[in-house]
Amino acid sequence: MNWKNIAALTLAASLLSGCSVASRLVYHIDINQGNYVAQEDVSMLRIGMTKQQVEYVLGTPMLVQPEYPNVWYYIYYHKPGHNTPIQKDLILTFNQDNQLSRMSGDFKASPDFNQPLQQ
């Protein structure tokens, strides 16, 4: 092997090994989609709240299926540039009188959730 081949081989090896390092140096934007919901806001929810009251506290839901208008989905997806994505879901169910009857998902209900608001 002559010195040109050794230099070319060394250069190629260093360029290939630098690809993984270079991809970490490139800026990747954060991607946010859906409804950002804070635990403090979820803690304000109470059984028996109307849809209008819930919308005032949390904002418009991300998804309401036409076949199931009494189930609201608040979905938040966050993908930091180089880190693992995070998804948080909150599912609210209303009864036939359009009053909040149940919640599920990634948020904790407050201890007062089962105590209706005083009218």
Side-chain angles (χ1 to χ4, degrees):
M1 261 190 171
N2 63 20
W3 67 273
K4 288 182 182 180
N5 290 340
I6 292 173
L9 184 61
T10 304
L11 179 62
S14 65
L15 289 175
L16 290 176
S17 66
C19 288
S20 63
V21 174
S23 70
R24 297 294 291 172
L25 297 176
V26 174
Y27 178 73
H28 292 268
I29 63 169
D30 293 349
I31 298 172
N32 297 307
Q33 294 178 318
N35 302 90
Y36 176 77
V37 177
Q39 180 63 52
E40 298 82 35
D41 296 333
V42 174
S43 296
M44 296 172 71
L45 297 178
R46 300 286 184 271
I47 198 165
M49 289 177 80
T50 65
K51 288 182 177 181
Q52 292 79 17
Q53 290 171 321
V54 171
E55 193 170 343
Y56 180 78
V57 172
L58 297 179
T60 307
M62 177 74 175
L63 175 66
V64 178
Q65 297 180 16
E67 300 83 20
Y68 304 101
N70 288 333
V71 180
W72 286 10
Y73 296 89
Y74 289 86
I75 302 166
Y76 177 67
Y77 177 81
H78 174 73
K79 181 173 185 325
H82 291 284
N83 297 325
T84 307
I86 299 166
Q87 180 169 331
K88 291 197 166 209
D89 302 324
L90 176 64
I91 303 159
L92 302 178
T93 306
F94 296 87
N95 62 21
Q96 299 303 334
D97 296 327
N98 292 325
Q99 294 179 329
L100 183 60
S101 61
R102 190 169 48 127
M103 70 173 272
S104 61
D106 297 319
F107 294 90
K108 293 181 181 180
S110 75
D112 299 329
F113 178 74
N114 290 318
Q115 296 175 355
L117 291 175
Q118 297 184 342
Q119 303 295 334

